[in-house]
Amino acid sequence: MKKMKAITSIAVTLALSVSALGQSGQSAASSETLIKNATILTASHGTIKNGSILIRNGKIAAVGVDVKATDPNARVIDATGKYVTPGIIDCHSHTASTGSINEGSMSVTAMVRIQDIVEPEHPNIYRQLAGGLTTVNVLHGSANAIGGQNAVLKLKRGKPVNEWFVADAPPGIKFALGENPKRSNFQPQPGQQRRYPATRMGVEEVIREAFIQAKEYMAEWQEYEKKKGTDSKAIPPRRDLKLDALAEILQGKRLIHAHCYRSDEILMLLTLGDELGFKIKTLQHVLEGYKVAKEIAAHKAGASTFADSWSYKMEAFDAIPYNMAVMASRGVVVTINSDSDERARRLYLEAPKAMKYGGVSEEEALKMITLNAAIQLGIDHRTGSIDVGKDADLVIFSQHPFSVYTVPEMTFIEGEVYFDRKADLEGREALKREKEALIKAERGQTGPGQKKDDRPDPNLRPKESPKDQEDINR
Amino acid sequence: MRMKFYTLVSILISAAITLPSVGAQGRGDAIVIRNARIFTVTKGVIENGSIVITGGKITAVGASVSAPGGARVIDARGLSVYPGMIDSGTTIGLTEVGQGAPGTVDTSEIGDNNANIHVDIAVNPESSHIGVTRVNGTTTALTMPRGGLIAGQSALINLDGWTWAEMTLKARAAMHINWPGGLGGGFEFGGGQQRAGAELRREQDRRIEELKKILRDAIAYGNAKDARARDASLPRMETDLRLEALVPVARGQMSAVIHAQVERDIKKVIAFADEMKLKIIISGAVEGWRVADQLKAKNIPVIIGPVNRMPNREDDGYDAVYTNAAMLHKAGVKFAFQTMGSAEARDLPYQAGESAAFGLPKEEALKAVTIYPAEIFGVADQIGSIEVGKLANLIITDGDPLEIRTQIKHLIIRGRDVPLTSRHTELYDKYKSRP
């Protein structure tokens, strides 16, 4: 019996022992941590040379050249020669979600929620923490014109998942324009009908129709609310979860993150928003944003783009790496996102591309992966820059974060260490021994009914989740 | 009169505008680069030196050189000169728009054995990817076919020229074989497929046997053809273009680039090359570090990349892909970098740089995008370093070319000072001046 349990727990133990590697969520004994002698890139008020940051109870208590800990037992990290930046924020992610992120069976699925499929165990979470990533905007896919609701998470690996949600982040929703919602690159399965819409014209009508329905629904509720005080027989309208979410958009309570590529469709959505009374919080990808930068700025929409991806499909053919600089110069709040767990772990090397292509300043480039993302997600009151009172979401880099030779060494979320390269390297030998012991134990217990070939093959990479396959829906 | 004045002014203006492109002169014109910090890659750094280019080649390098009269002078004070970079695996010139425009994609032929196809003749010199890539410092790329078990023959192309023929540095550079089963050379999206272990392995072994049979057929074909050439009384041979193309590969005279990623596959590739007596290069090799000693023992060069991908196994170190190059280097394996793409090719230097962040010496990272690929593909007499007699494929930069913020100031390919424009700079110039 005991043996049986051991067998079943092997997989679990393996996963857990990998978790131990990063000493996730390890707290200092004291409530204070002092990072001293660092070059601090604040993202809000310039660079502080030879500066220190005092963290107390998960918040930044002080930052400057003359900062000391008040608690004699405070954890002190000597960061001489190193650089500290705010924790990196990815404004377009599909990480930590299980299964498909596309409820693409209908063109409007405003009722579905990413928060229901958050998966805190995926190994990519640790790999992204190792790239300095602390906060992610996990979005629904782009298969339909109005997709599902997002989740803004901090990657508090090892903590219960309910603690990952940024509680005061305004809720959001995914919209999508262009090739993906019109399904032009996807063959329907045999026997399956093509879904409406198939053109950019149809995409506009789908969104228009949805908002008109939402307005009618809101009017019904208003009428009921008015009546119910005086009319005891007043019947409430039937609750519609899809229209509830759209109503929240019209009330300014839910942020639109709209996937888009071409300038025509960008302008279409901005115009439709002005006509029907909704605002676009961020345009996602927005690879031709540089063509309509002034219209984007006038709408006060943010832009969240790739640094230099292009030509992977027709609507990405006019993408240029100068996009970030052009939009920023017209006053658009610009961020650089990943849309990929792999790219998410090197966003600090994507940001300097905004400097290379179009000459954005260093601080502005840093904002594009920190403060601007916090602004776009409505969480800049608590994260995104190194300012007193904000969450201690920080990264320590071995060299300037924009140097190709830099290595992220420590990642903090709310003052706790979620990645420590030194501990990682030191722990590898122990992990290796543990794995060997576990494999040995498992081999010893292979019963007659269990064929050798049924065991997972370590030569194969982990099975790609359907969401990886749908990456082309970015 | 007034009209005439404006005409004159506009002629002068257009003359001024066209001047820089006059600077982009023919291959024969002489250029001298002066006051430069010269990173020769093979012969150290010259702190304040000059390079003379005539007839498209480097004709002098040194602290003091004599330049031919009338040579155009590029003053590189405060700047550095490096050899142009080489990307050891791309599809540049063969693809324009990856998805939704199949008419623009010529990477993959139909069928298992495509040994006879050779990509050099399908390179579109007007592809926007060529300009976009070269302005970031890559002057030569291996462009390769991707489809089937035997994908066909790659070409080394210089990223400038009026025709594919002018661009071609080495046609038929190598034969490309996609190792069956496991993980292919695959692109990141939708790359790997996982099937049940035993079934997969049986299928893989069957495919490897197929591959061996094709190569043995090629040897027999070559021998029969040679015999017939010696003795006309033997029966006439029917030409088989596929086997014909494979004869030099099967005889170990032409390199086979075998695309394989994981430990088990790489081990099988090594055994296969041994048995079939092939001259091979392994491409991909995300788990090359696991078999570094065996690669070294057989002196098999490796083309690493893309570096921007996730580790293969769940319990690999998070940095396993980044440290791959450093571990191969430590074991003494010869290696070079590839981007394995076309749109992504401009980021080649950063992939080398990321490997240097994780343990690869910086000089080695630079060599792995310059002289090492030239050596691996047998063109080190022509490119890969700044030496007299080599092609003038050079970049003049304001810093380390592996750093993202570094700007390229001049791009010289086969002696031509190529304008630093591309489809992207043109769109930028157009829209940044939108009122």
Side-chain angles (χ1 to χ4, degrees):
Chain A
M1 191 60 203
K2 211 172 177 185
K3 255 186 175 180
M4 273 299 290
K5 260 188 182 165
I7 294 169
T8 51
S9 70
I10 279 166
V12 177
T13 320
L14 258 173
L16 284 179
S17 57
V18 175
S19 321
L21 204 114
Q23 304 184 338
S24 294
Q26 182 203 50
S27 314
S30 161
S31 65
E32 283 191 353
T33 301
L34 183 74
I35 302 171
K36 64 173 191 181
N37 302 330
T39 301
I40 302 167
L41 308 181
T42 64
S44 57
H45 58 286
T47 298
I48 303 166
K49 285 199 172 144
N50 209 13
S52 301
I53 301 169
L54 180 64
I55 302 167
R56 189 183 301 128
N57 298 322
K59 300 274 182 191
I60 297 167
V63 54
V65 284
D66 244 344
V67 170
K68 302 262 181 304
T70 56
D71 179 352
N73 296 320
R75 177 180 186 181
V76 178
I77 298 168
D78 185 357
T80 304
K82 301 183 194 301
Y83 288 75
V84 184
T85 70
I88 296 168
I89 304 174
D90 185 356
C91 202
H92 190 133
S93 172
H94 301 294
T95 202
S97 51
T98 185
S100 177
I101 43 124
N102 263 312
E103 179 51 69
S105 53
M106 295 187 292
S107 280
V108 181
T109 60
M111 69 300 249
V112 304
R113 307 184 301 182
I114 289 291
Q115 71 182 65
D116 297 328
I117 56 159
V118 172
E119 192 223 334
E121 304 284 351
H122 199 286
N124 284 354
I125 294 164
Y126 180 70
R127 292 165 176 165
Q128 292 171 96
L129 283 163
L133 195 70
T134 54
T135 305
V136 291
N137 179 25
V138 184
L139 289 170
H140 185 271
S142 54
N144 43 6
I146 298 182
Q149 302 171 21
N150 71 334
V152 178
L153 309 174
K154 290 201 187 184
L155 300 178
K156 295 180 184 171
R157 183 169 166 276
K159 290 277 167 76
V161 74
N162 57 320
E163 291 177 30
W164 291 36
F165 294 93
V166 180
D168 49 0
I173 190 166
K174 179 75 170 281
F175 278 28
L177 314 176
E179 290 179 22
N180 289 0
K182 77 196 187 89
R183 310 308 289 158
S184 50
N185 298 323
F186 305 91
Q187 293 297 321
Q189 299 297 311
Q192 202 181 34
Q193 268 193 323
R194 283 196 72 181
R195 192 199 67 196
Y196 185 95
T199 67
R200 286 181 168 82
M201 300 171 285
V203 172
E204 195 236 29
E205 288 305 309
V206 164
I207 298 171
R208 179 187 298 280
E209 187 176 42
F211 276 104
I212 286 170
Q213 283 175 4
K215 285 185 174 194
E216 288 168 1
Y217 174 73
M218 288 164 80
E220 274 180 55
W221 273 103
Q222 268 168 1
E223 214 171 290
Y224 165 73
E225 295 293 340
K226 220 186 297 168
K227 254 198 275 181
K228 75 174 181 190
T230 53
D231 181 359
S232 59
K233 284 179 189 158
I235 301 167
R238 181 176 174 161
R239 192 162 171 217
D240 184 318
L241 297 178
K242 179 180 86 179
L243 297 177
D244 275 349
L246 295 174
E248 285 166 6
I249 297 171
L250 289 164
Q251 291 157 352
K253 294 180 198 156
R254 184 173 289 281
L255 311 179
I256 296 174
H257 303 290
H259 159 119
C260 56
Y261 282 85
R262 265 174 32 186
S263 62
D264 47 89
E265 67 200 22
I266 295 166
L267 195 54
M268 174 279 283
L269 187 65
L270 300 177
T271 309
L272 190 64
D274 290 344
E275 179 193 330
L276 296 176
F278 62 85
K279 284 280 178 198
I280 317 301
K281 185 65 178 181
T282 71
L283 294 158
Q284 295 286 330
H285 310 320
V286 61
L287 296 188
E288 287 188 16
Y290 67 97
K291 295 183 179 176
V292 284
K294 70 175 181 184
E295 286 84 354
I296 295 171
H299 187 94
K300 294 191 166 57
S304 188
T305 188
F306 295 131
D308 63 354
S309 291
W310 69 293
S311 91
Y312 45 89
K313 51 180 167 174
M314 208 58 229
E315 62 189 358
F317 192 51
D318 273 9
I320 61 173
Y322 302 91
N323 192 31
M324 303 167 277
V326 174
M327 292 193 293
S329 74
R330 300 281 172 133
V332 179
V333 174
V334 176
T335 60
I336 302 165
N337 69 51
S338 80
D339 196 10
S340 135
D341 289 5
E342 186 279 312
R343 192 181 289 113
R345 63 195 201 128
R346 53 183 172 87
L347 282 175
Y348 57 92
L349 295 183
E350 296 290 271
K353 291 175 182 171
M355 300 172 70
K356 179 183 180 73
Y357 302 106
V360 158
S361 73
E362 180 184 290
E363 180 153 287
E364 190 58 37
L366 180 63
K367 280 183 185 175
M368 289 182 181
I369 54 170
T370 56
L371 184 57
N372 286 0
I375 291 168
Q376 291 182 346
L377 296 174
I379 53 173
D380 53 308
H381 59 286
R382 63 176 298 166
T383 188
S385 62
I386 303 182
D387 283 294
V388 172
K390 285 199 181 184
D391 295 347
D393 299 344
L394 304 164
V395 191
I396 302 178
F397 286 90
S398 64
Q399 299 186 35
H400 192 290
F402 293 168
S403 167
V404 77
Y405 304 117
T406 197
V407 175
E409 293 189 341
M410 290 181 94
T411 305
F412 298 78
I413 300 175
E414 293 168 13
E416 293 188 24
V417 177
Y418 283 86
F419 169 71
D420 180 346
R421 179 161 166 82
K422 193 158 165 277
D424 180 306
L425 295 175
E426 285 169 0
R428 285 186 189 185
E429 202 44 50
L431 264 182
K432 202 176 142 196
R433 280 198 302 274
E434 188 184 354
K435 184 185 173 184
E436 277 160 10
L438 285 164
I439 288 172
K440 206 170 149 195
E442 189 205 20
R443 288 226 166 109
Q445 286 159 358
T446 303
Q450 196 178 5
K451 277 194 287 212
K452 192 168 160 256
D453 280 341
D454 290 341
R455 288 207 302 268
D457 186 336
N459 274 300
L460 294 168
R461 80 164 146 182
K463 190 163 173 276
E464 296 201 43
S465 68
K467 112 176 115 62
D468 295 326
Q469 304 290 353
E470 283 165 18
D471 241 353
I472 47 172
N473 270 330
R474 63 192 187 169
Chain B
M1 187 60 205
R2 212 190 168 91
M3 273 299 284
K4 268 188 182 161
F5 173 73
Y6 279 122
T7 314
L8 184 67
V9 167
S10 71
I11 285 167
L12 284 173
I13 289 171
S14 45
I17 287 167
T18 50
L19 262 177
S21 56
V22 172
Q25 65 278 81
R27 305 286 176 198
D29 296 355
I31 299 176
V32 56
I33 302 165
R34 293 215 180 271
N35 307 316
R37 193 162 186 225
I38 303 168
F39 290 79
T40 66
V41 171
T42 45
K43 295 186 170 170
V45 181
I46 301 166
E47 284 302 331
N48 188 2
S50 299
I51 299 171
V52 180
I53 299 165
T54 43
K57 292 195 171 177
I58 299 167
T59 48
V61 184
S64 68
V65 298
S66 58
R72 193 164 68 87
V73 176
I74 296 174
D75 184 4
R77 197 176 300 273
L79 303 176
S80 302
V81 189
Y82 292 85
M85 287 180 274
I86 304 167
D87 192 330
S88 298
T90 73
T91 49
I92 290 177
L94 304 177
T95 174
E96 204 64 23
V97 176
Q99 190 187 22
T104 68
V105 180
D106 287 288
T107 51
S108 301
E109 205 27 279
I110 291 164
D112 259 357
N113 182 357
N114 293 311
N116 51 328
I117 68 162
H118 49 107
V119 303
D120 50 320
I121 50 86
V123 169
N124 172 14
E126 202 59 57
S127 167
S128 58
H129 294 234
I130 291 170
V132 165
T133 302
R134 71 185 175 204
V135 298
N136 269 19
T138 297
T139 54
T140 307
L142 185 85
T143 189
M144 58 193 182
R146 303 287 298 131
L149 183 61
I150 301 176
Q153 301 165 61
S154 57
L156 274 166
I157 58 170
N158 287 316
L159 297 184
D160 183 48
W162 292 98
T163 66
W164 57 257
E166 279 186 21
M167 293 171 71
T168 302
L169 178 75
K170 186 178 185 181
R172 303 170 188 269
M175 183 68 70
H176 288 254
I177 296 170
N178 292 315
W179 193 247
L183 281 164
F187 293 91
E188 202 60 32
F189 295 119
Q193 288 181 333
Q194 190 179 22
R195 281 177 283 174
E199 186 206 333
L200 179 73
R201 260 167 271 171
R202 274 194 299 275
E203 168 71 6
Q204 183 183 37
D205 289 343
R206 191 181 66 72
R207 300 280 283 162
I208 295 168
E209 283 310 312
E210 268 177 35
L211 193 55
K212 286 181 186 171
K213 183 179 175 304
I214 293 172
L215 288 166
R216 288 188 189 114
D217 285 351
I219 287 182
Y221 176 88
N223 291 346
K225 239 190 145 180
D226 287 353
R228 157 90 178 153
R230 284 191 301 267
D231 180 355
S233 70
L234 290 172
R236 184 183 296 278
M237 292 277 301
E238 202 175 302
T239 299
D240 184 321
L241 292 175
R242 290 175 171 79
L243 293 181
E244 186 114 7
L246 283 169
V247 171
V249 178
R251 287 179 173 171
Q253 295 156 347
M254 180 184 188
S255 291
V257 173
I258 302 185
H259 297 264
Q261 297 283 11
V262 300
E263 180 183 6
R264 192 188 62 217
D265 284 348
I266 296 170
K267 284 180 174 167
K268 283 191 179 185
V269 168
I270 294 171
F272 166 81
D274 236 18
E275 182 189 338
M276 304 304 292
K277 300 187 175 59
L278 305 182
K279 188 174 140 195
I280 65 159
I281 298 162
I282 293 180
S283 162
V286 68
E287 289 192 347
W289 57 280
R290 290 186 185 273
V291 275
D293 291 342
Q294 292 165 62
L295 290 164
K296 173 60 193 164
K298 300 284 177 187
N299 274 321
I300 297 171
V302 173
I303 308 293
I304 304 169
V307 172
N308 290 334
R309 56 166 293 163
M310 282 298 191
N312 192 46
R313 306 185 192 186
E314 280 198 28
D315 61 345
D316 276 337
Y318 78 91
D319 54 0
V321 189
Y322 300 140
T323 55
N324 192 19
M327 293 180 76
L328 290 171
H329 166 66
K330 228 162 125 189
V333 177
K334 173 77 53 97
F335 66 94
F337 288 101
Q338 65 181 350
T339 54
M340 207 64 179
S342 183
E344 304 79 7
R346 64 171 150 202
D347 286 350
L348 172 74
Y350 319 140
Q351 301 214 7
E354 284 166 56
S355 299
F358 287 84
L360 182 68
K362 284 183 192 183
E363 326 67 85
E364 290 295 316
L366 181 63
K367 284 181 176 176
V369 290
T370 53
I371 191 64
Y372 291 161
E375 289 168 357
I376 290 170
F377 292 110
V379 291
D381 58 330
Q382 296 183 72
I383 57 170
S385 64
I386 301 181
E387 289 179 78
V388 170
K390 289 200 180 184
L391 284 185
N393 282 4
L394 307 168
I395 51 174
I396 305 179
T397 71
D398 65 358
D400 180 347
L402 306 189
E403 282 281 18
I404 295 156
R405 288 167 292 175
T406 296
Q407 300 286 358
I408 307 276
K409 299 294 185 181
H410 280 274
L411 166 72
I412 298 172
I413 301 179
R414 291 165 59 234
R416 185 170 97 95
D417 193 2
V418 180
L420 291 167
T421 56
S422 70
R423 180 177 164 78
H424 291 184
T425 63
E426 284 158 14
L427 283 165
Y428 173 50
D429 287 342
K430 176 176 175 183
Y431 282 96
K432 83 174 171 198
S433 48
R434 183 187 162 201

